[in-house]
Amino acid sequence: TPQTAAIREDLLQDALSFYEKFLSQAPDSVDLKRRIADVHWKRASIYGALQKWEQSKSELQAALDLYEQTLLAQPDNLEARIGVANIRKSTGDQLIARVNRFESRLRAVTLLEEVFDEYRDNNNYREALTAAYTDQLKAPLTDGYAAQLMASEPDGHLQRLTRYRERLEQLLGEWDTLSPSSRGEALCAIGDFELKRLNSPPPVAEP
């Protein structure tokens, strides 16, 4: 409810103020930056639920920047990798213009692949990677940045998507713990991708 969301927002604001106070005393603390990123991510979810899109976008960008800073200092930081992947996978199209949606989601797939390969028994990571592959296969082959890739590297882009499809099929075959909704959406995405691939005209070479 809006009342519950408002209470959570107040609590998260207290937590944010608490962490930022300590960060001012230890500005190089990677752990504090990651914790503050977590708070911004949660605040973005609350603003989204309240349909306060500009505030949500601002919080998302703050979270993404801090997660990325954490990864620069600690490339193997699990929480930061998951944070970056989640934001780029599910909300890349809501971020400010400097974040390209397609590039953003490609990075999300790469991070989720790394995490899943290290923690293959974690069903949450398995679900997240399945959703990321599904999103990529559902994206139009001739839309926005994907169209640029098709024009500049048609074989490479199709190979990338084909690899996603193959890994997605592997996930569906190896694991019976995926939720029915994830499994259904993944199967539809695989079918849609094959149809789009067959029906897409070859890229026109620039003179």
Side-chain angles (χ1 to χ4, degrees):
T1 65
Q3 292 81 3
T4 302
I7 293 173
R8 289 185 60 200
E9 182 183 354
D10 289 341
L11 292 173
L12 287 171
Q13 181 58 51
D14 289 343
L16 185 61
S17 300
F18 175 81
Y19 286 131
E20 287 180 336
K21 176 181 177 181
F22 281 98
L23 186 62
S24 67
Q25 301 171 12
D28 295 327
S29 173
V30 176
D31 184 58
L32 280 175
K33 289 181 180 179
R34 198 270 304 162
R35 290 173 184 269
I36 293 174
D38 290 344
V39 175
H40 282 299
W41 170 241
K42 292 174 183 176
R43 282 165 59 90
S45 298
I46 291 175
Y47 283 130
L50 295 173
Q51 298 186 352
K52 296 182 178 180
W53 307 122
E54 288 303 315
Q55 293 97 319
S56 178
K57 186 167 64 174
S58 177
E59 295 292 339
L60 284 171
Q61 191 61 62
L64 181 60
D65 288 345
L66 287 168
Y67 281 135
E68 293 280 20
Q69 290 176 32
T70 301
L71 281 184
L72 285 175
Q74 297 179 350
D76 294 330
N77 188 295
L78 176 61
E79 291 83 0
R81 284 190 288 172
I82 293 297
V84 170
N86 281 335
I87 293 175
R88 289 188 176 278
K89 173 178 69 67
S90 60
T91 57
D93 52 341
Q94 296 178 26
L95 297 182
I96 57 179
R98 70 182 176 85
V99 179
N100 182 286
R101 178 171 61 184
F102 196 82
E103 283 184 313
S104 190
R105 289 177 176 172
L106 287 180
R107 176 156 165 73
V109 171
T110 300
L111 287 168
L112 289 170
E113 285 179 334
E114 293 173 356
V115 170
F116 176 69
D117 287 341
E118 293 177 30
Y119 302 91
R120 295 186 65 85
D121 293 332
N122 188 301
N123 197 56
N124 290 332
Y125 301 156
R126 191 179 307 124
E127 289 272 357
L129 182 57
T130 297
Y133 285 146
T134 299
D135 287 344
Q136 286 295 314
L137 294 182
K138 286 165 59 179
L141 296 182
T142 55
D143 178 49
Y145 187 72
Q148 297 176 31
L149 283 176
M150 284 298 292
S152 62
E153 48 162 321
D155 293 337
H157 183 47
L158 280 177
Q159 287 175 4
R160 181 188 299 111
L161 292 177
T162 299
R163 183 178 70 82
Y164 291 167
R165 184 207 66 197
E166 291 171 350
R167 286 211 65 178
L168 184 55
E169 290 177 332
Q170 184 180 12
L171 285 172
L172 294 175
E174 288 182 355
W175 306 99
D176 58 6
T177 55
L178 289 170
S179 67
S181 61
S182 294
R183 185 175 294 274
E185 289 183 13
L187 290 171
C188 289
I190 290 172
D192 289 346
F193 168 70
E194 290 302 324
L195 287 174
K196 286 183 293 190
R197 189 172 63 129
L198 291 172
N199 295 328
S200 293
V204 178
E206 295 184 3

